[in-house]
Amino acid sequence: MNVAKRSWMVYATLLVVFWGVWGAFSSQPNTRYGYPNEMIYIIWAFTMLIPAYFALRGNRFDRRPVAAMWGLLAGLTGAGGQLLLFQALSDGPAYLIFPVVSLSPVITVLMATVLLRERIARLAVVGVVIALVSIVLLSIPGGGSSNSHGPWLLLAIIICAAWGAQAFCMRKAALVGVNDATTFGWMTISGLLLVPVAFAMMGGLPSGAPWQAPALTAVTQVLNAIGALFLVMALSRGKASVVAPITNALAPVLTIVLSLAVYQTLPNIWGTIGIVLALVGSTLMVYSDEKGGEEPAAGPDLAADAAVGAGHGAPAVPKS
């Protein structure tokens, strides 16, 4: 297998690991200490500075308008969707909101195939469909709610579209020659720009929260931030129509496995079916990519950028 052509698999795997672990523990600050979700967002925005520093070290920050446009679009769609999710969850049932939001890879696949002319093999198409079904099933938690309609539905649809577009913007940024470090840098800036909005939604700093709440939040959100960098790197090297469904399907599987090990929490029947479908769908997509191969993308990756000091980005080749 050509390692250069398949390097997206490495970054997608790292993404699944980091987001899978983050997913297993991300709710603890809120459920254990009652820490506001908006404060969790604010801490996450600042933790983005950590991977951004390491990504930009040794790489030139691309100051072209096209780099700023696609980087800001990727950042604002991701961070804006996160803020809207807090509002949606305050108005509607999570067990209905998350299945809607989880369809975001559908938006990515449609945009990639229509606007970027990405083509995937028939076997990969089957894998994409299976993975998308698994994502919905994995996002259905136990329990229910009588509030099955309301303004939250529109917000959920907007979030779905925003997060689907985010992955597309990451891919498009790489296609126009923007390096990974620059795209992630603009995403970091976007997240920080929305910090005042989060403060306004929260109504001020929380009082009475123990030190463990922000500390645990910082640790878990660093995993989230690093995962976001790996998403940029995976999308700059692999097709968005394949990377988005795979990562969105496999990260929840790891989260469920870790939750089973740590909290002794068994998945519901839908989650169990979703795990099987996620593994099957992802396997089909990876096998199809190995068999058919991808067109090599233009431009050096982050490692090459660091080596030559050029910083022109990932091969010319989506949370949060």
Side-chain angles (χ1 to χ4, degrees):
M1 184 172 87
N2 188 316
V3 176
K5 289 183 180 180
R6 307 295 189 276
S7 61
W8 70 266
M9 296 182 189
V10 176
Y11 297 113
T13 301
L14 290 170
L15 163 62
V16 168
V17 171
F18 276 81
W19 274 4
V21 176
W22 162 70
F25 302 100
S26 61
S27 64
Q28 291 302 299
N30 181 267
T31 57
R32 182 173 294 188
Y33 304 108
Y35 209 48
N37 285 320
E38 292 83 1
M39 195 64 210
I40 293 174
Y41 170 88
I42 292 169
I43 293 177
W44 163 77
F46 283 98
T47 61
M48 290 279 283
L49 290 168
I50 298 174
Y53 166 77
F54 288 100
L56 286 165
R57 189 173 61 177
N59 289 277
R60 181 180 62 83
F61 188 81
D62 192 338
R63 293 180 174 82
R64 292 178 299 157
V66 68
M69 179 182 71
W70 290 111
L72 285 171
L73 282 175
L76 291 174
T77 49
Q82 185 65 57
L83 286 177
L84 287 179
L85 180 61
F86 296 150
Q87 182 61 45
L89 290 173
S90 68
D91 296 333
Y95 82 102
L96 291 178
I97 292 173
F98 281 111
V100 174
V101 173
S102 69
L103 290 172
S104 62
V106 174
I107 305 298
T108 304
V109 171
L110 290 175
M111 294 182 73
T113 53
V114 174
L115 300 179
L116 300 181
R117 307 287 183 176
E118 287 190 354
R119 294 183 179 182
I120 56 178
R122 292 180 181 178
L123 187 61
V125 172
V126 175
V128 168
V129 173
I130 293 175
L132 292 174
V133 173
S134 76
I135 294 168
V136 175
L137 295 178
L138 288 167
S139 68
I140 301 177
S145 170
S146 59
N147 183 18
S148 60
H149 62 278
W152 61 264
L153 179 58
L154 176 60
L155 290 177
I157 293 173
I158 294 174
I159 297 165
C160 172
W163 285 354
Q166 180 191 33
F168 168 82
C169 291
M170 293 179 188
R171 172 74 170 176
K172 182 64 177 180
L175 278 172
V176 297
V178 183
N179 64 60
D180 299 340
T182 296
T183 299
F184 191 78
W186 282 113
M187 288 171 60
T188 301
I189 292 170
S190 302
L192 293 171
L193 287 175
L194 293 181
V195 164
V197 179
F199 267 119
M201 292 173 62
M202 186 170 49
L205 287 172
S207 59
W211 66 268
Q212 292 93 335
L216 183 57
T217 300
V219 171
T220 55
Q221 294 306 317
V222 164
L223 297 175
N224 184 11
I226 296 174
L229 175 59
F230 287 137
L231 178 61
V232 173
M233 299 173 78
L235 284 167
S236 72
R237 293 156 176 80
K239 293 179 179 179
S241 52
V242 172
V243 174
I246 284 182
T247 53
N248 279 270
L250 291 184
V253 170
L254 180 56
T255 294
I256 290 175
V257 172
L258 289 174
S259 297
L260 174 60
V262 176
Y263 309 119
Q264 286 79 52
T265 302
L266 290 171
N268 56 32
I269 183 62
W270 301 116
T272 303
I273 298 173
I275 289 175
V276 175
L277 292 179
L279 295 174
V280 171
S282 299
T283 300
L284 288 176
M285 283 184 280
V286 171
Y287 173 76
S288 176
D289 186 75
E290 277 194 38
K291 186 176 179 181
E294 283 194 307
E295 290 298 321
D301 60 16
L302 269 179
D305 288 344
V308 301
H312 279 300
V317 193
K319 214 241 347 173
S320 70

